[in-house]
Amino acid sequence: MLARPGPDAGEVAWDNYLHLRDNPAGVTEELWQHDGGCGSWLVVTRDTVSHVISKVEMAADVKRAMQAAS
Amino acid sequence: MRFSGWRVLREGLTGNKGWAPHWRDPEPKAEYDAVIIGGGGHGLSTAYYLAKNHGMTNIAVLEKGYLGGGNVGRNTTIVRANYGQQGNSEFYSHSLKLWEGLEEDLNYNAMHSARGIINLFHSDGQRDAFARRGNMMINQGDDAELLDREGVRHLLPYLDFDNIRFPVYGGLLHRRGGTARHDAVAWGYARGADQRGVDLIQQCEVTGINIENGVVKGVQTTRGAIRAKKVGIVVAGRSGQVAAMAGMRLPIESHVLQAFVTEGLKPVIDHVVSFGMGHFYISQSDKGGLVFGGDLDFYASYASRGNMPMMEHVMEAGMTLMPMIGKAKVLRSWGGIMDMTPDGSPIIDKTDTEGLFIDCGWCYGGFKAVPGSGFSFAHLMATGNHHAPAAKFRLDRFRTGAGLMDEEATGAQHNLH
Ligand SMILES: Cc1cc2nc3c(=O)[nH]c(=O)nc-3n(C[C@H](O)[C@H](O)[C@H](O)COP(=O)(O)OP(=O)(O)OC[C@H]3O[C@@H](n4cnc5c(N)ncnc54)[C@H](O)[C@@H]3O)c2cc1C
Ligand SMILES: [Zn+2]
């Protein structure tokens, strides 16, 4: 999950967002789409070493929670 | 120990008692002029060319597992020079020329086989695209021939030419492309480096990179600290983690790529063949197994194994193109961790830390690059100057947007290549 910088955030911020990665070997949060089913966007917590999925949330719910928190 | 036909004959007659280990197993020294992190194809070729071309022999390769245990021993061994973008074209062209003299140079049988690669096309639009690619290859000084349907039928009579959805229209033939025995390439470079005095240190994981005032001083390893004036990071799928030891974030995501092999069969597929309408390519190994693969699974992974959807896609594509392989039994499948860059092209560059260099981002195509990458990276590490054929593989091209090499024209963003 990456926070999108504002349009005028500059080259370094956009490079960070678009290209540079922590590339973790372990637990990571990603945006997935249930392409072969209902089309929902999901926030999936997944281990990149074991492929174990430990948590799945509706992206819309996560977004609402983020907006409520900010 | 030199290999020759005479030597093989003599050993055969005397019970094969005269063969010696191909390289030493030295203890790490306290200090080297340069250390290479990673004993895969690229790390070993870098060490070889540092010693051979630049006389740097007080150097070491540090490998956390065993030599050749990474992607260099997990790939589908295709060697070619059919890239279309400036930057890639001249690099792979140089690398293919090195392949062509490799076995004599290393005195090692890497089973390099220029059996020809045929990329099939299945529509008029694809024909035009391949004609253009062929012209680019010829402009670069490499070989390409556009085959029509009958030309393909002559070489590959077993294809399903009249497939109802994806009939075969023709193919682009690259005669100098082919395959090589992957682990022999690693062993050949390892032996050549060792013979020139390079210490190849296995079971030695780098756990930290020592930097003082912006200058690299050496590395921490599971076998103790090692001082070095220059350090090269050449760790393929693990690039992100090793670079993090130097405080760097890379434009790299690690993804899994799968491959498959069947039981051994009599010779039936004489070339490397790729399907133009799905992710499938195939060749036959000298042991007789059909070796084939497709595309990435398309999610970040360090698992060295993939999942069923890509497996199913690859098998379906194979059956669509050449139904005859349906009777062969798949013996094994496996995966390797690929260092994917946003534009699908590699990086050979200096870093912001003086004396620290990086060679990574080979994506799913770094086997063919083993000779060229080692040659160019050694040049950079030894002289501080970029080697002409690899001069465009810059680390900062994503930030600036200048000099991106997006072969597939899908955009220079992660997850698109
Ligand atoms: C299934 C598959 C098919 C492929 N097919 C082709 C193909 O047909 N043609 C082609 O050109 N390319 C192909 N590739 C890509 C090619 O194999 C890779 O791009 C290339 O091998 C990567 O470079 P390498 O050989 O140096 O990597 P590796 O062999 O992975 O070497 C990296 C080494 O670094 C070591 N290392 C990592 N971290 C540390 C540390 N902290 N300390 C010490 N050592 C460390 C690892 O143990 C490893 O041995 C394929 C790859 C896969 C997985
Ligand atoms: Zn759903």
Side-chain angles (χ1 to χ4, degrees):
Chain A
M1 290 285 288
L2 302 164
R4 189 185 172 89
D8 307 319
E11 194 177 280
V12 171
W14 275 95
D15 186 39
N16 260 314
Y17 170 72
L18 281 174
H19 308 123
L20 302 183
R21 293 290 180 264
D22 291 340
N23 199 17
V27 175
T28 186
E29 270 188 350
E30 298 161 322
L31 210 48
W32 285 69
Q33 188 182 20
H34 190 197
D35 189 39
C38 64
S40 292
W41 283 93
L42 307 162
V43 175
V44 175
T45 308
R46 192 175 65 90
D47 190 317
T48 58
V49 179
S50 64
H51 290 170
V52 169
I53 291 171
S54 52
K55 192 161 136 195
V56 182
E57 295 163 284
M58 301 293 277
D61 294 345
V62 174
K63 186 179 171 192
R64 246 174 258 127
M66 278 165 67
Q67 279 167 347
S70 67
Chain B
M1 182 179 67
R2 270 194 74 76
F3 291 109
S4 64
W6 160 240
R7 183 74 196 258
V8 170
L9 189 67
R10 198 185 75 190
E11 290 297 335
L13 294 173
T14 56
N16 284 304
K17 295 198 185 77
W19 301 117
H22 289 193
W23 52 81
R24 299 162 295 131
D25 185 19
E27 284 300 315
K29 289 190 230 162
E31 179 163 10
Y32 291 96
D33 292 336
V35 300
I36 306 296
I37 311 174
H42 293 239
L44 293 167
S45 64
T46 301
Y48 175 77
Y49 292 115
L50 275 173
K52 183 185 175 214
N53 296 354
H54 305 281
M56 287 182 66
T57 53
N58 181 31
I59 65 174
V61 176
L62 310 179
E63 165 55 47
K64 75 171 175 182
Y66 60 92
L67 299 180
N71 291 324
V72 72
R74 288 171 170 262
N75 60 72
T76 44
T77 77
I78 297 165
V79 170
R80 57 188 167 89
N82 58 356
Y83 283 69
Q85 298 269 303
Q86 222 186 42
N88 281 331
S89 294
E90 58 263 37
F91 174 82
Y92 289 102
S93 183
H94 178 240
S95 197
L96 185 58
K97 291 187 191 92
L98 292 175
W99 274 105
E100 287 168 338
L102 188 68
E103 291 168 311
E104 275 176 49
D105 186 32
L106 295 176
N107 176 235
Y108 208 86
N109 182 6
M111 294 165 75
H112 176 226
S113 156
R115 57 185 62 185
I117 294 179
I118 299 162
N119 301 125
L120 297 167
F121 50 81
H122 311 263
S123 68
D124 291 330
Q126 242 185 354
R127 179 194 288 115
D128 289 350
F130 275 119
R132 177 165 181 263
R133 174 165 298 253
N135 286 335
M136 291 193 284
M137 291 157 65
I138 291 165
N139 277 342
Q140 179 57 46
D142 294 313
D143 71 285
E145 289 163 50
L146 202 65
L147 302 178
D148 62 11
R149 196 173 144 92
E150 289 318 303
V152 173
R153 199 192 295 277
H154 180 65
L155 296 176
L156 314 176
Y158 49 80
L159 299 181
D160 183 7
F161 281 85
D162 297 310
N163 183 282
I164 196 81
R165 257 188 98 188
F166 305 124
V168 175
Y169 275 45
L172 185 65
L173 170 62
H174 174 38
R175 286 190 195 272
R176 286 161 64 230
T179 58
R181 179 171 177 195
H182 44 22
D183 27 29
V185 174
W187 299 334
Y189 274 115
R191 172 171 165 272
D194 174 86
Q195 283 175 343
R196 286 169 174 78
V198 176
D199 282 358
L200 306 175
I201 301 168
Q202 305 181 62
Q203 306 293 332
C204 180
E205 179 171 357
V206 171
T207 53
I209 297 178
N210 298 343
I211 299 167
E212 282 169 29
N213 302 321
V215 182
V216 78
K217 296 290 174 188
V219 294
Q220 301 290 332
T221 81
T222 48
R223 296 178 68 173
I226 300 173
R227 290 191 301 280
K229 297 183 192 74
K230 292 178 180 176
V231 174
I233 301 175
V234 202
V235 293
R238 295 280 167 183
S239 295
Q241 289 161 327
V242 175
M245 296 173 195
M248 294 165 69
R249 283 177 91 221
L250 295 177
I252 285 187
E253 281 187 8
S254 293
H255 283 249
V256 57
L257 178 70
Q258 306 193 59
F260 310 87
V261 66
T262 70
E263 61 193 322
L265 303 169
K266 293 208 167 144
V268 56
I269 294 180
D270 302 328
H271 311 84
V272 179
V273 182
S274 77
F275 186 33
M277 283 290 156
H279 299 293
F280 174 81
Y281 64 93
I282 189 166
S283 68
Q284 186 167 20
S285 80
D286 290 329
K287 277 194 288 184
L290 305 181
V291 179
F292 57 98
D295 210 342
L296 298 175
D297 274 31
F298 277 107
Y299 45 83
S301 173
Y302 285 89
S304 299
R305 64 179 166 74
N307 276 310
M308 300 299 255
M310 186 47 73
M311 212 180 268
E312 186 179 12
H313 173 95
V314 169
M315 307 278 170
E316 276 175 0
M319 288 301 291
T320 303
L321 185 64
M322 44 180 82
M324 72 164 180
I325 64 170
K327 289 199 172 133
K329 294 188 179 55
V330 174
L331 283 191
R332 279 178 286 122
S333 74
W334 64 94
I337 309 170
M338 318 283 45
D339 36 338
M340 300 300 301
T341 57
D343 66 353
S345 292
I347 293 162
I348 296 183
D349 211 343
K350 304 172 191 179
T351 68
D352 290 339
T353 301
E354 199 184 315
L356 182 66
F357 302 84
I358 189 155
D359 176 313
C360 64
W362 293 98
C363 302
Y364 33 69
F367 178 65
K368 70 182 83 68
V370 163
S373 163
F375 200 100
S376 293
F377 194 46
H379 182 95
L380 178 66
M381 283 188 69
T383 67
N385 300 318
H386 287 273
H387 186 228
K392 298 219 162 66
F393 294 164
R394 296 301 178 91
L395 186 54
D396 68 359
R397 66 178 183 269
F398 305 101
R399 180 166 52 74
T400 63
L404 295 167
M405 287 159 282
D406 171 12
E407 288 283 335
E408 293 165 351
T410 48
Q413 276 191 43
H414 287 292
N415 282 309
L416 297 181
H417 293 272

